[in-house]
Amino acid sequence: MALGNSTAKLSELPLSVGTSYLCTTASHSYQLSILRPFCVSANYPTHSQPKPSDKVTSSDTWLTKWPPANPNSSRFPNPKPSPRFPQPAADDLFDSDNSHFLRNDNNPCNAIDRVVLRLRNLRLASYNDDNMEAPGGLSRLLRRDWVRSDTALAEDEANDMLLPWDRDEGEDEKEAVEVENKVMQKRKVKPPTLAELTLEEEEQARLRRLGMQLKEKVNVAKAGLTQAVLDKIHDQWRKKEVVRLKFHELLARDMKTAHEIVERRTRGLVIWRSGSVMLVFRGKNYEGPTPASLERSEPVMMNQEQLANMTPEEEEFDRMLGGLGPRFVEWWGTGILPIDADLLPPAVPGYKTPLRLLPTGMPPRLTDAELTNMRKLSKALPCHFALGRNRNLQGLAVAILKLWEKSLVVKIAVKRGILNTNNELMAGELKKLTGGTLLIRNKYFIVIYRGKDFVPTSVAAVLAERQEMTKQVVDDEEKARHRAIDVTQSGTDEATTQAGSLAEFYEAQTRWGKDISAEEREKMIKESAKAKNVKLFRKVERKLVLAKTKKIRAENLLSKVEASLVPADPDCDQETISEEERAMFRRVGLIMKPYLPLGIRGVFDGVIENMHLHWRHRELVKLITKQKTFAFVEDTARLLEYESGGILVSIDRLPKGFCLIYYRGKNYRRPVTIKPRNLLTKAKALKRSIAMQRHEALSKHITELGRKIEEMKEELGLSHDLEPEDRGGIGTLTV
């Protein structure tokens, strides 16, 4: 039987093809496209029947073990016989020794069956190991690395060529263990909670069920776990084992911190939390709150527990806060407890603003870079104090001065949940008492820098003592001067003059000074006034030259921007409207609520685009401009009329500005491009507006300077009295 125009018989083809391919294909080209990939190898024999002496290698046994397709499968029904491709006989399905499968009347059940069918038809199972290692053999297909086209073939081991069911079970187990280890390394391990470490799973489940049945809850407000909230928790623990907490505000957003605070302050166990709700178990050996107040016992207990787990930085920070005052036990954060500033004395007898002395050559203020760096560093610092009152902060100021001897900045947390707290008043009072530099002030924190002129208390005491000694020495010298008075005896005893006094100066001037007449004094006054006026004249002239330079620069920028502005010419064949229509359109336009604002940019492409978008839904469009001069408004109205192609109805003055009303016309056709390209863009229009404002302001400034110079010349006569060397470069300037 021939395939299309080919003269070769089917038995002479290099491989046997089942009728499933012949019956499911519709053209000869499609049949050859299926057969072509399996016929290009030159290393395979060209005969279609295998020899009886061929043996099956061990690596190819999976081909023979694969079960044939199920003939009773209804997934792929048998194709109907075609007169062009008749059904083959049943004897043609196998070769002479029934060892190899040649044809199959039924389609394979799945993709794997079709792959096996093709490999069997290729007769690769009968080749020995030498043929398998051929360049075009199956080994090459199994060894191919499909990562990139330019990569070389990997010379893998023999086990890599084995299929999954031919490999050893030990190797599969090793690979599974390696994959599981990699997954466990990538997965974050959640540390167990204190409740999971101390309670059994059955007990935890029982307590959770008990907590889910609770209807009463204790609300934890913005202030956090205060003493009032602790009292409510202990009241419920006297009746039940579990208490239900509901957090609000800031702690509700950070439940991990709330978990640590609750276990630290209540000595209970958090058995469950979800969202902003938490269940806390009182413990097996609960005996109620201790008789001592929490304010006294809490800091000591906390330090003993955290002493072993503290880092060196935390230990240093805790020692730095050691002698400054009592701790704030209701602290809503973690880590070292800050000092409670409200428990410090409100007033300190004899308190004075500390002495400050700036080193020689050091600038008194922080630069912008130093200020930014200090703010960044202070954000990561823990809080030193917690403050809740606005005034009477002398005790806190004393503690801050002690802290500044060890730290550059002090960080103060504003207490939460306290009424009438004002961080502005707090910062102002502390800045006045300490003299520091305020870095950060918000509703959460206040950070103050000690300043470059800060002097420690011990050094300030020494400096104050030296100043007293210096003052004493000066007083002693003054007394010695009084004792060493030169007494002038002239006939009778005259009044003595003190050395270094004003009387002594007048006396010396009378004896040895030069007498100045009234004419000389008047001449000296005129010369002084002339020099002052010359200096002022030069200053005004420099201002005039600088203003003219800026004006020329603004003109160049304006001409550069306006180069892309090509206004349209008026249309000679423009549509007209009658006076009645104009009056009606004006009345309707003034009533219209939607309008287009015309800002400082003036007329640009976006304004014309918005006008066409308005005309899409209505016949009129109203614009309101902020221009003050009617002449400028009229020029803008004409430009809009020429560019948009509409009809200007009226120009009216409104409280908001001048109102421009345009009618689109009876024969209006929306243009293809509603944004004209001959006008400026929005960005260029803004540049043009700024350049025009600058040019106008400079023109006025130049006019005022010129008038001022003319007045100086007329009133003081500088143009006639100035010498050539005094006028310098002024004479060349023309006003």
Side-chain angles (χ1 to χ4, degrees):
M1 182 180 62
L3 293 175
N5 298 326
S6 177
T7 58
K9 296 181 180 180
L10 185 61
S11 59
E12 297 177 356
L13 292 176
L15 63 92
S16 300
V17 182
T19 57
S20 59
Y21 297 109
L22 299 177
C23 297
T24 55
T25 56
S27 63
H28 174 62
S29 61
Y30 185 73
Q31 297 167 11
L32 294 180
S33 65
I34 296 177
L35 300 175
R36 189 176 294 112
F38 301 96
C39 303
V40 296
S41 178
N43 299 313
Y44 299 142
T46 56
H47 62 308
S48 60
Q49 298 292 337
K51 297 179 181 180
S53 61
D54 293 341
K55 297 181 181 180
V56 180
T57 60
S58 60
S59 60
D60 298 326
T61 55
W62 64 276
L63 288 173
T64 57
K65 293 179 181 179
W66 191 267
N70 187 8
N72 298 326
S73 176
S74 59
R75 184 177 178 183
F76 299 96
N78 296 332
K80 295 180 180 180
S82 175
R84 186 174 179 180
F85 303 104
Q87 289 280 21
D91 297 337
D92 297 334
L93 294 177
F94 296 91
D95 55 1
S96 58
D97 56 354
N98 294 333
S99 61
H100 291 86
F101 179 78
L102 294 178
R103 299 188 182 188
N104 188 4
D105 293 338
N106 300 312
N107 281 334
C109 296
N110 49 35
I112 300 298
D113 291 338
R114 290 194 290 273
V115 171
V116 173
L117 175 63
R118 292 189 180 185
L119 293 176
R120 283 176 175 172
N121 289 334
L122 285 173
R123 302 182 182 277
L124 296 178
S126 61
Y127 297 153
N128 52 18
D129 294 340
D130 297 336
N131 292 334
M132 289 292 292
E133 297 297 334
L138 181 61
S139 176
R140 182 182 180 185
L141 297 176
L142 294 177
R143 290 185 180 182
R144 184 179 296 275
D145 189 3
W146 298 102
V147 179
R148 291 181 57 181
S149 59
D150 57 348
T151 56
L153 297 179
E155 296 295 335
D156 299 333
E157 299 294 335
N159 292 335
D160 295 340
M161 295 187 296
L162 296 178
L163 293 175
W165 49 80
D166 291 336
R167 295 181 181 177
D168 297 337
E169 296 181 358
E171 296 181 358
D172 296 340
E173 292 179 359
K174 290 181 181 178
E175 291 182 359
V177 171
E178 292 179 358
V179 172
E180 185 177 358
N181 293 336
K182 291 181 180 179
V183 172
M184 292 299 294
Q185 290 177 0
K186 294 182 180 180
R187 186 183 303 169
K188 293 183 179 180
V189 180
K190 184 178 179 181
T193 61
L194 186 60
E196 294 175 353
L197 295 175
T198 56
L199 299 177
E200 297 180 357
E201 295 183 359
E202 297 179 357
E203 182 68 12
Q204 293 180 30
R206 184 187 69 83
L207 293 173
R208 291 193 188 101
R209 288 194 299 269
L210 183 61
M212 295 300 176
Q213 298 174 0
L214 292 176
K215 295 183 179 180
E216 298 181 2
K217 61 182 179 181
V218 178
N219 291 316
V220 182
K222 181 179 180 180
L225 219 62
T226 60
Q227 187 62 36
V229 176
L230 287 176
D231 295 340
K232 292 181 181 179
I233 292 175
H234 286 291
D235 290 341
Q236 290 200 12
W237 272 348
R238 292 189 184 96
K239 304 173 185 177
K240 303 175 182 178
E241 293 181 296
V242 182
V243 64
R244 187 186 187 96
L245 301 181
K246 172 66 176 178
F247 290 86
H248 301 276
E249 298 291 338
L250 299 176
L251 280 179
R253 304 169 192 167
D254 190 2
M255 290 299 292
K256 181 181 289 187
T257 304
H259 187 132
E260 298 178 7
I261 295 174
V262 167
E263 290 186 344
R264 172 170 56 85
R265 298 213 53 211
T266 63
R267 307 301 175 185
L269 299 176
V270 178
I271 58 174
W272 178 85
R273 62 181 172 92
S274 177
S276 60
V277 181
M278 183 183 297
L279 297 179
V280 186
F281 174 51
R282 66 183 182 183
K284 297 180 179 180
N285 301 325
Y286 176 73
E287 297 179 356
T290 57
S293 61
L294 290 175
E295 289 82 2
R296 297 179 181 176
S297 62
E298 185 68 20
V300 178
M301 296 172 62
M302 178 184 174
N303 291 336
Q304 290 177 356
E305 292 179 356
Q306 291 189 350
L307 186 59
N309 300 327
M310 279 187 181
T311 61
E313 292 80 7
E314 291 179 347
E315 293 180 0
E316 182 180 359
F317 187 81
D318 187 62
R319 287 195 302 269
M320 185 170 55
L321 300 181
L324 299 180
R327 301 299 179 93
F328 180 54
V329 294
E330 297 180 0
W331 176 242
W332 53 85
T334 58
I336 307 300
L337 296 179
I339 304 298
D340 193 350
D342 294 342
L343 300 181
L344 297 176
V348 178
Y351 178 81
K352 295 182 181 180
T353 304
L355 174 67
R356 289 186 171 270
L357 184 63
L358 186 67
T360 306
M362 179 177 290
R365 296 183 179 180
L366 292 172
T367 62
D368 293 342
E370 292 175 345
L371 191 62
T372 303
N373 190 26
M374 294 290 290
R375 286 174 178 169
K376 289 181 179 179
L377 294 177
S378 60
K379 286 182 180 180
L381 288 177
C383 292
H384 303 95
F385 299 93
L387 181 61
R389 65 187 180 200
N390 302 328
R391 299 293 186 185
N392 301 324
L393 305 177
Q394 289 187 1
L396 176 59
V398 173
I400 289 175
L401 293 177
K402 292 181 181 179
L403 181 64
W404 273 345
E405 297 179 2
K406 304 176 183 178
S407 175
L408 292 176
V409 297
V410 58
K411 189 171 183 180
I412 305 169
V414 181
K415 289 185 178 180
R416 304 171 182 173
I418 299 179
L419 299 178
N420 301 326
T421 54
N422 192 332
N423 58 81
E424 185 177 1
L425 295 178
M426 295 177 183
E429 183 76 10
L430 290 174
K431 186 177 179 182
K432 180 180 178 181
L433 291 174
T434 61
T437 303
L438 184 63
L439 296 180
I440 300 175
R441 178 185 62 81
N442 52 39
K443 62 181 180 180
Y444 302 114
F445 304 104
I446 298 174
V447 181
I448 303 177
Y449 172 56
R450 69 181 185 182
K452 297 181 179 180
D453 54 352
F454 172 75
V455 180
T457 307
S458 57
V459 179
V462 174
L463 291 176
E465 184 180 356
R466 295 298 299 269
Q467 287 182 357
E468 290 293 334
M469 293 174 61
T470 305
K471 185 178 180 181
Q472 186 67 28
V473 171
V474 172
D475 292 343
D476 294 342
E477 291 179 355
E478 189 68 22
K479 290 179 181 179
R481 182 184 299 176
H482 286 303
R483 287 193 298 266
I485 297 175
D486 295 334
V487 180
T488 304
Q489 300 292 337
S490 59
T492 60
D493 294 339
E494 297 180 355
T496 61
T497 58
Q498 298 180 0
S501 61
L502 183 62
E504 184 183 9
F505 170 75
Y506 283 143
E507 183 181 355
Q509 187 71 19
T510 304
R511 288 184 179 182
W512 301 290
K514 182 181 179 181
D515 295 336
I516 300 174
S517 61
E519 296 178 356
E520 292 179 351
R521 185 181 297 275
E522 185 177 356
K523 184 179 179 180
M524 291 172 61
I525 292 174
K526 287 183 179 179
E527 290 179 355
S528 176
K530 181 180 177 180
K532 187 181 297 184
N533 292 333
V534 169
K535 185 177 180 180
L536 180 61
F537 188 80
R538 289 179 178 177
K539 185 177 181 180
V540 176
E541 288 287 349
R542 284 194 296 269
K543 286 185 178 180
L544 181 61
V545 173
L546 183 61
K548 289 182 178 180
T549 305
K550 290 183 178 179
K551 182 180 178 181
I552 295 174
R553 193 182 304 165
E555 290 176 353
N556 295 336
L557 179 61
L558 188 60
S559 60
K560 187 183 297 184
V561 173
E562 288 182 345
S564 57
L565 176 61
V566 184
D569 297 330
D571 190 5
C572 300
D573 191 16
Q574 187 179 11
E575 184 181 350
T576 59
I577 57 176
S578 62
E579 294 299 329
E580 291 81 3
E581 291 176 338
R582 187 180 300 275
M584 186 268 294
F585 288 147
R586 176 179 177 275
R587 185 166 60 252
V588 173
L590 293 175
I591 299 174
M592 286 175 56
K593 291 185 178 180
Y595 69 92
L596 293 176
L598 200 63
I600 61 173
R601 293 179 176 85
V603 180
F604 60 98
D605 54 359
V607 177
I608 307 301
E609 180 185 11
N610 289 332
M611 291 179 66
H612 286 291
L613 293 177
H614 273 253
W615 280 338
R616 181 181 179 182
H617 304 285
R618 55 184 69 87
E619 294 182 343
L620 299 177
V621 60
K622 180 170 68 173
L623 295 92
I624 295 180
T625 177
K626 297 292 184 179
Q627 294 175 339
K628 304 298 182 183
T629 309
F630 183 77
F632 292 160
V633 175
E634 192 173 8
D635 294 341
T636 302
R638 294 302 176 191
L639 180 59
L640 286 171
E641 184 178 14
Y642 299 156
E643 296 293 341
S644 64
I647 303 172
L648 178 62
V649 176
S650 65
I651 302 176
D652 300 286
R653 183 186 291 274
L654 297 178
K656 296 181 179 179
F658 285 95
C659 174
L660 310 177
I661 302 174
Y662 290 89
Y663 172 56
R664 68 180 183 181
K666 300 176 183 178
N667 301 324
Y668 172 73
R669 293 292 183 271
R670 186 178 180 182
V672 178
T673 304
I674 61 178
K675 182 181 289 188
R677 297 183 179 180
N678 60 325
L679 297 180
L680 299 177
T681 61
K682 188 176 182 180
K684 290 185 178 180
L686 181 60
K687 290 182 180 179
R688 177 175 177 269
S689 174
I690 295 174
M692 291 178 63
Q693 291 179 5
R694 185 183 295 114
H695 185 271
E696 183 179 359
L698 290 172
S699 300
K700 292 181 180 179
H701 184 55
I702 290 173
T703 305
E704 292 177 359
L705 290 177
R707 186 172 61 253
K708 186 176 181 179
I709 290 175
E710 291 296 333
E711 291 176 357
M712 292 175 65
K713 287 181 178 181
E714 293 177 359
E715 294 178 0
L716 303 176
L718 295 177
S719 58
H720 304 287
D721 298 337
L722 284 178
E723 299 295 336
E725 60 272 8
D726 294 335
R727 297 177 63 176
I730 301 175
T732 59
L733 296 175
T734 57
V735 181

